Amino acid sequence: MSTKASDEDMNGPGPKRGPGRPQGGGGKRVSRSSILRAALKLAITTPLQDLSIVTVAKSMGVTSALIHYYVGGRAWLTSGVMNLFYKDLIRKWPEPTGEWRRDLTAAARAIFEHFSRYGGIAAYAVSNSRFRVFQLTAFGDRDYGVEVLDRFTGLVRASGLSAERTGIYSNQFMEFIINTGHGTAQHIFPSDHREFLDKKSSTLDVSRYPNIDFAKRAPLMIDGELAFREGCNLYMLGIVVEASGKTLDEVIGMQAADAPRSRRTIRRAAA
């Protein structure tokens, strides 16, 4: 994954603090932990890319100098919030059952619900590559983004897929979950706009757009929850098929070969 973090960001000891704590706390107890927690709360609705040090300072009733003192610059704030987000996700991680399909589905749901709750984090994740996984950890923090990715990849790997297919499915499945969480948080699914879409589709000329008319009802029921469930089913189906040693082309070929026999069976039964 490509990032724009500098060598100093990634490998240095962290932001330098001055010789004394700046004034401006208004008598409040301020710490790096309380700052990041306050920023994460703001990220429930505010896109993380729009969450500045000034914004966080105002929400806490302190000066920007205090935020800089405890957290560092903007990159450290963004990474710190992402890492705290993933740390909270680890706390919600479902207990393993030893059955990979059940465990993978449960983990996917935990990730989906976490991104759905924090719309500002989801908005950042769908439009930025930096800090989506790898975090700045010069403060001695664990990189919880890496831990989430490793756990999720391990669940896909447990299906028996090859290294290549494990990597591809882990990446694509995670992208689907994040995007669905973002769509849920932003209310962009068809069911959120059912009245408008129903009205527009009902005015279409059926002779010109027969396929839209044929399938127009079902999409209007799609909300975040349905989109997540149906998408999970598709990914799980693909993993199960490939883990069995078959390719998609082979499965399609088997279905095509079985079709004539099925039709003959139906005709014999009818007779």
Side-chain angles (χ1 to χ4, degrees), residues 1-181:
M1 179 175 292
S2 173
T3 70
K4 298 181 180 179
S6 67
D7 293 338
E8 181 180 355
D9 282 341
M10 299 304 294
N11 302 314
K16 301 287 191 301
R17 287 181 177 172
R21 179 181 183 274
Q23 299 297 314
K28 299 179 181 179
R29 298 182 64 179
V30 180
S31 65
R32 180 171 179 267
S33 177
S34 67
I35 292 169
L36 294 179
R37 183 59 66 182
L40 180 59
K41 185 176 180 180
L42 290 174
I44 292 175
T45 55
T46 303
L48 185 56
Q49 60 267 36
D50 298 333
L51 200 58
S52 67
I53 288 176
V54 172
T55 301
V56 177
K58 286 182 178 179
S59 74
M60 298 182 70
V62 300
T63 64
S64 298
L66 272 179
I67 307 297
H68 277 286
Y69 177 79
Y70 284 108
V71 177
R74 178 72 173 271
W76 289 91
L77 175 65
T78 301
S79 180
V81 172
M82 287 297 297
N83 211 31
L84 182 57
F85 169 81
Y86 284 126
K87 182 179 181 179
D88 287 352
L89 175 55
I90 289 288
R91 289 172 177 163
K92 298 177 181 178
W93 202 265
E95 290 293 325
T97 66
E99 203 287 302
W100 73 264
R101 279 181 284 190
R102 183 178 300 174
D103 292 342
L104 180 55
T105 301
R109 173 162 290 283
I111 298 168
F112 164 68
E113 291 178 351
H114 203 49
F115 273 98
S116 298
R117 168 170 166 73
Y118 289 94
I121 298 292
Y124 177 86
V126 299
S127 57
N128 293 270
S129 60
R130 193 181 186 189
F131 306 135
R132 291 184 91 222
V133 177
F134 299 102
Q135 308 306 320
L136 305 177
T137 55
F139 286 101
D141 294 334
R142 289 159 55 186
D143 192 329
Y144 291 102
V146 172
E147 291 197 23
V148 167
L149 179 60
D150 186 71
R151 289 190 183 200
F152 189 76
T153 303
L155 294 174
V156 176
R157 180 184 181 184
S159 69
L161 291 176
S162 67
E164 178 184 4
R165 302 307 291 171
T166 294
I168 290 174
Y169 268 101
S170 299
N171 179 270
Q172 295 300 104
F173 200 171
M174 182 67 81
E175 290 295 323
F176 158 74
I177 296 168
I178 293 173
N179 277 278
T180 307

Side-chain angles (χ1 to χ4, degrees), residues 249-264:
D249 288 340
E250 288 172 337
V251 172
I252 293 173
M254 291 169 60
Q255 290 176 333
D258 288 341
R261 287 196 295 271
S262 298
R263 286 195 291 270
R264 286 197 298 271

Side-chain angles (χ1 to χ4, degrees), residues 193-209:
H193 311 280
R194 182 177 303 176
E195 183 177 350
F196 170 78
L197 294 174
D198 189 32
K199 182 178 180 180
K200 295 295 288 186
S201 61
S202 65
T203 63
L204 295 176
D205 185 345
V206 176
S207 64
R208 292 187 62 188
Y209 307 105

